[in-house]
C-alpha cells in the first residue's frame, strides 16, 4: 500500500505536493521496512513490477480521494534500474495520466545503483519530461550521486538528503554542504527540497539558505490516502 508524506513551502507554509511511499504489511511479520523488501526486489530484478504497482496504486488513490486528486504534485520513486526500460515512458503515461495530468506527477530518481549507461538514461528521462512530468534527484549528495548528473540529466529538482539535515547543527560540514547544494541548484535554475526536517530550527535554517520546500516529521508524517484531506483541513 502507499503512504503519502507532505511537502511544504518554506515561504508560505502551504502544501506543495506529497510523496507516495510504498509500504508492505506482511500477514505474519507485520510492517516490513522498505530498506529490506525493496532491496530484495532489486536483487530479484523485479523493480519494474514494483514501479508499475506503485503507479497503479497512486493513480487509483488520486481517482478515489478528492484531496489527492486536487494535489498540485504527487511524486513517485523510480530506481535508475528501471530507466533502461524503453517502454517506461509509455506505461507511465498510460497509468498515471488516466488519473491526473502529467504536470501533476513527479518522478524521484533514487540512486540505488551506478548509472552505467548515462546517455540512455538521460534519453529516457527526457521522454518522461517531454510528456510533462517533473524529475527530481532523490537523496542528492549520497550514494552514487555525481555533479555530472546536473549537466547530463534533464532534472528539475534536487532533494537534499536527510542525513545532512539531521546533522546540520552538530556538524559544520553538513551545514556547508547544504548551503553549497542550494546555491548550486539556484545557479542551475533547479528547485530544492530538504528531506527529514524534524525541528523548527532546521526549518528556519533551510529557509534562510533559500531552500524552497521541506519534507519531514515537522510538517507531516507519511499517512494513508484517506487521511490527506483531514491533514489539509487542519492546516487551514
Amino acid at each position: 500500500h502507499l503512504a503519502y508524506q507532505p511537502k511544504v513551502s518554506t515561504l508560505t507554509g502551504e502544501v506543495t505536493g506529497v510523496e507516495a511511499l510504498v509500504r508492505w504489511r506482511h500477514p505474519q511479520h507485520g510492517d516490513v521496512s522498505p530498506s529490506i523488501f525493496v532491496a530484495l526486489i532489486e536483487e530479484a530484478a523485479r523493480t519494474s513490477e514494483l514501479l508499475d504497482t506503485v503507479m497503479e496504486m497512486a493513480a487509483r488513490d488520486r481517482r478515489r480521494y478528492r484531496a489527492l486528486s486536487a494535489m498540485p504534485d504527487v511524486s513517485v520513486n523510480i530506481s535508475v534500474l528501471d530507466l533502461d526500460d524503453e517502454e517506461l515512458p509509455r506505461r507511465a503515461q498510460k497509468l498515471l495520466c488516466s488519473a491526473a495530468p502529467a504536470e501533476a506527477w513527479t518522478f524521484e530518481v533514487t540512486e540505488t545503483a551506478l548509472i552505467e549507461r548515462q546517455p540512455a538514461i538521460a534519453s529516457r528521462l527526457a521522454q518522461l519530461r517531454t510528456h510533462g512530468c517533473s524529475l527530481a534527484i532523490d537523496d542528492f549528495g549520497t550514494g552514487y550521486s555525481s555533479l555530472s548528473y546536473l549537466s547530463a540529466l534533464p532534472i528539475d529538482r534536487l532533494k537534499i538528503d536527510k542525513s545532512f539535515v539531521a546533522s546540520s547543527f552538530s556538524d559544520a560540514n553538513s551545514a556547508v554542504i547544504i548551503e553549497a547544494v542550494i546555491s548550486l541548484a539556484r545557479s542551475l535554475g533547479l528547485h530544492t527540497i530538504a528531506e527529514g526536517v524534524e525541528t523548527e530550527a532546521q526549518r528556519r535554517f533551510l529557509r534562510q539558505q533559500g531552500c524552497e520546500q521541506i519534507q519531514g516529521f515537522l510538517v507531516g508524517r507519511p499517512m494513508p490516502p484517506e487521511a490527506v484531506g483531514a491533514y489539509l483541513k487542519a492546516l487551514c
Side-chain angles (χ1 to χ4, degrees):
H1 61 278
L2 295 180
Y4 294 88
Q5 187 169 31
K7 303 174 186 179
V8 172
S9 167
T10 56
L11 293 177
T12 66
E14 295 179 346
V15 175
T16 56
V18 291
E19 179 180 1
L21 300 166
V22 64
R23 298 288 185 260
W24 180 31
R25 181 164 296 152
H26 190 277
Q28 281 81 43
H29 303 293
D31 292 331
V32 181
S33 169
S35 63
I36 295 175
F37 73 79
V38 172
L40 292 173
I41 289 171
E42 289 179 343
E43 288 177 14
R46 298 180 67 175
T47 56
S48 63
E49 294 174 57
L50 175 62
L51 176 59
D52 282 359
T53 299
V54 169
M55 290 193 293
E56 288 171 358
M57 290 191 296
R60 177 203 64 197
D61 288 344
R62 293 197 87 165
R63 287 191 293 266
R64 184 177 297 175
Y65 299 101
R66 184 178 301 177
L68 288 173
S69 177
M71 190 65 61
D73 179 72
V74 173
S75 62
V76 174
N77 290 294
I78 180 172
S79 168
V80 293
L81 300 174
D82 292 320
L83 293 174
D84 262 338
D85 185 353
E86 295 181 356
E87 289 297 306
L88 173 62
R90 183 190 61 79
R91 292 203 321 277
Q93 185 177 36
K94 178 181 178 181
L95 292 172
L96 298 180
C97 295
S98 65
E103 294 76 15
W105 296 100
T106 293
F107 283 101
E108 297 189 8
V109 183
T110 56
E111 302 161 294
T112 53
L114 181 65
I115 295 181
E116 297 176 346
R117 298 178 60 236
Q118 193 160 289
I121 298 304
S123 174
R124 206 81 67 241
L125 290 174
Q127 288 176 301
L128 289 170
R129 201 177 186 204
T130 298
H131 287 314
C133 298
S134 296
L135 303 171
I137 294 292
D138 199 12
D139 302 333
F140 186 75
T142 64
Y144 298 98
S145 64
S146 167
L147 291 178
S148 66
Y149 288 5
L150 303 185
S151 60
L153 303 182
I155 58 174
D156 305 287
R157 307 169 191 167
L158 293 182
K159 296 193 74 176
I160 301 169
D161 186 67
K162 61 184 178 182
S163 63
F164 299 118
V165 175
S167 59
S168 56
F169 286 93
S170 59
D171 180 5
N173 288 337
S174 291
V176 170
I177 289 172
I178 290 174
E179 294 175 29
V181 170
I182 294 172
S183 176
L184 178 62
R186 185 186 302 116
S187 298
L188 294 172
L190 304 176
H191 300 289
T192 50
I193 305 171
E195 298 180 285
V197 179
E198 297 186 356
T199 69
E200 189 59 43
Q202 291 170 346
R203 187 215 294 256
R204 287 196 300 269
F205 169 71
L206 291 162
R207 178 175 178 174
Q208 290 168 358
Q209 299 307 316
C211 183
E212 297 157 295
Q213 299 176 55
I214 56 173
Q215 183 178 351
F217 289 175
L218 178 67
V219 294
R221 293 175 178 267
M223 64 191 75
E226 63 269 20
V228 175
Y231 168 82
L232 294 175
K233 288 180 180 178
L235 293 179
C236 298

